[in-house]
């Protein structure tokens, strides 16, 4: 079995996204999606067109499917090697620590721009890090701080301090997000 079923699912998702971007003749478009054909006619779009009502959003989803599939394959490849699962957990904990530091720093400095670049329309007065929604930030931080406990327990003294510190940064940022659900998840993880 292994990862083959996942590869099949990824291929289906990628093919489904890509198929929606293919320009189809008007007759075929009317047969497959009368509503899309009708909306294209109302918008004054004549000639062949894709099934997607928003080709740019569909293209973004396709790129996301490709990126996430590549990330999964990379993680599966690393996990197959001796010590690979632990390496992945270290990476997860490190990502949580970085996200926690970014979120706490943005809160401390009062900046709302994500990484100082993107200014979200909806600005919150709580930690968001690189996520726009504070609940997404909190969920990610919860998922990264809980493995830190296991890694700290299984590490040598120096590694234990580093991993515990990374987990503590992520966990402390959860409190500042204001996400009650993640606080419950964090408590359940401990």
């Amino acid at each position: 079995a292994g990862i083959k079923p996942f590869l099949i699912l990824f291929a289906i998702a990628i093919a489904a996204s890509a198929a929606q971007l293919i320009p189809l003749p008007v007759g075929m478009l009317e047969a497959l999606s009368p509503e899309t054909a009708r909306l294209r006619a109302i918008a004054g779009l004549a000639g062949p067109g894709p099934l997607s009502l928003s080709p740019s959003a569909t293209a973004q989803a396709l790129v996301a499917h490709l990126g996430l599939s590549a990330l999964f394959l990379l993680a599966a490849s690393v996990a197959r090697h001796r010590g690979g699962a632990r390496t992945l957990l270290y990476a997860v904990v490190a990502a949580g620590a970085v996200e926690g530091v970014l979120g706490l720093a943005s809160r401390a400095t009062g900046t709302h721009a994500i990484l100082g670049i993107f200014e979200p329309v909806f600005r919150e007065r709580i930690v968001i890090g690189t996520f726009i929604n504070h609940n997404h930030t909190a969920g990610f931080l919860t998922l990264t701080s809980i493995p830190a406990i296991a890694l700290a327990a299984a590490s040598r003294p120096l590694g234990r301090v580093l991993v515990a510190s990374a987990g503590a940064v992520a966990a402390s940022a959860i409190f500042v997000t204001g996400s009650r659900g993640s606080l419950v998840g964090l408590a359940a993880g401990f």
Side-chain angles (χ1 to χ4, degrees):
I3 64 170
K4 190 173 182 178
F6 293 105
L7 294 176
I8 292 168
L9 288 174
F10 292 153
I12 291 169
I14 290 166
S17 293
Q20 293 179 54
L21 294 171
I22 299 170
L24 301 173
V26 176
M28 186 180 285
L29 188 60
E30 288 172 342
L32 291 174
S33 179
E35 189 65 15
T36 298
R38 185 181 73 76
L39 290 171
R40 286 182 54 79
I42 291 171
L45 300 172
L51 283 170
S52 175
L53 291 174
S54 179
S56 62
T58 303
Q60 285 178 342
L62 177 60
V63 170
H65 289 155
L66 290 168
L68 291 171
S69 297
L71 180 62
F72 174 81
L73 291 172
L74 176 65
S77 175
V78 169
R80 285 184 170 172
H81 299 292
R82 182 171 184 208
R86 183 176 286 205
T87 300
L88 288 174
L89 284 177
Y90 280 121
V92 166
V93 170
V98 168
E99 186 68 31
V101 166
L102 290 172
L104 291 170
S106 70
R107 171 67 185 249
T109 60
T111 56
H112 295 289
I114 296 173
L115 297 177
I117 301 168
F118 176 71
E119 186 78 33
V121 175
F122 177 68
R123 287 190 268 175
E124 301 182 30
R125 303 178 135 251
I126 49 183
V127 169
I128 58 169
T130 58
F131 295 86
I132 292 177
N133 184 309
H134 71 281
N135 286 312
H136 298 164
T137 301
F140 179 75
L141 292 169
T142 302
L143 291 173
T144 61
S145 58
I146 293 172
I149 301 163
L151 281 176
S155 295
R156 293 191 172 107
L158 176 60
R160 185 173 299 133
V161 170
L162 292 173
V163 172
S165 298
V169 167
S172 64
I174 293 169
F175 285 93
V176 186
T177 65
S179 172
R180 295 179 304 264
S182 286
L183 289 174
V184 170
L186 184 63
F190 282 108

